[in-house]
Amino acid sequence: MRAAAAGLTAIVAAVVFATAADAQTAWGGLVATGQRADLGHAIAVEIDSTTEPGYLDVVVVASDRPLTAAQARDRDGLEAMARRGDLAALHVVIDPDARVKSAAPLHRAFTTFVSSALWIRWTPTAYDEKRVAGRFATDGTVREFRQAWSYDVTFEAPVVLDPAAKSVPRK
């Protein structure tokens, strides 16, 4: 009986882990100065909003490797990883009204990193306190700052809550 219970627990744990892992996926890529990177992982984390105190933004990172929530929250750390060639990613900040505040493609090929909501198109399929999903894309190749880039990635990820975040209490 004990062996059967342990086996059932292992099966349930494997299914839960596989479901959670599958939910953090991306399909697509980033092209930076002619160099392509496949983006197959996605993570979404909430952060305190810098423009709307008392509200929470969501950071979505579609990347070529799995990242932790702490890594996803650390944009400077992600840029350092990209400069070393350890990461290719798209870092996007979405406000509480589901508008993109910034989008930063990260790749070793860049001479300068750019973060702007100007060139991104977001087609959301889910955006709530539990999950974010959709498509991030540029309209063709963007040519700015003596660089060229494009991206097109479809993703879905559960939102990792920030226990230190402070939101406005509901009345």
Side-chain angles (χ1 to χ4, degrees), residues 5-169:
L8 181 60
T9 301
I11 291 170
V12 169
V15 168
V16 168
F17 177 75
T19 302
D22 289 343
Q24 294 185 2
T25 55
W27 308 269
L30 162 69
V31 178
T33 315
Q35 298 179 31
R36 178 171 172 80
D38 292 324
L39 306 180
H41 303 275
I43 186 166
V45 295
E46 69 178 7
I47 60 169
D48 284 321
S49 177
T50 57
T51 58
E52 298 180 55
Y55 291 90
L56 300 173
D57 293 336
V58 173
V59 171
V60 176
V61 181
S63 62
D64 63 348
R65 66 199 67 234
L67 297 170
T68 66
Q71 288 173 314
R73 286 186 183 97
D74 180 10
R75 168 121 182 258
D76 292 339
L78 295 175
E79 285 184 5
M81 289 174 68
R83 285 189 200 288
R84 289 190 309 266
D86 296 336
L87 176 74
L90 178 62
H91 179 277
V92 180
V93 179
I94 305 170
D95 75 9
D97 295 321
R99 291 186 306 250
V100 173
K101 291 170 71 171
S102 69
L106 303 170
H107 193 282
R108 182 180 195 161
F110 289 126
T111 56
T112 226
F113 289 117
V114 178
S115 179
S116 173
L118 184 61
W119 300 290
I120 190 170
R121 300 293 172 254
W122 182 34
T123 309
T125 55
Y127 185 71
D128 58 36
E129 66 278 355
K130 294 183 181 182
R131 186 171 78 100
V132 61
R135 178 178 177 224
F136 295 135
T138 56
D139 289 332
T141 301
V142 178
R143 297 180 192 288
E144 294 290 336
F145 311 106
R146 294 185 215 148
Q147 303 181 117
W149 70 90
S150 65
Y151 48 81
D152 191 341
V153 61
T154 303
F155 67 94
E156 72 174 288
V159 177
V160 178
L161 304 179
D162 181 359
K166 296 170 180 52
S167 62
V168 174

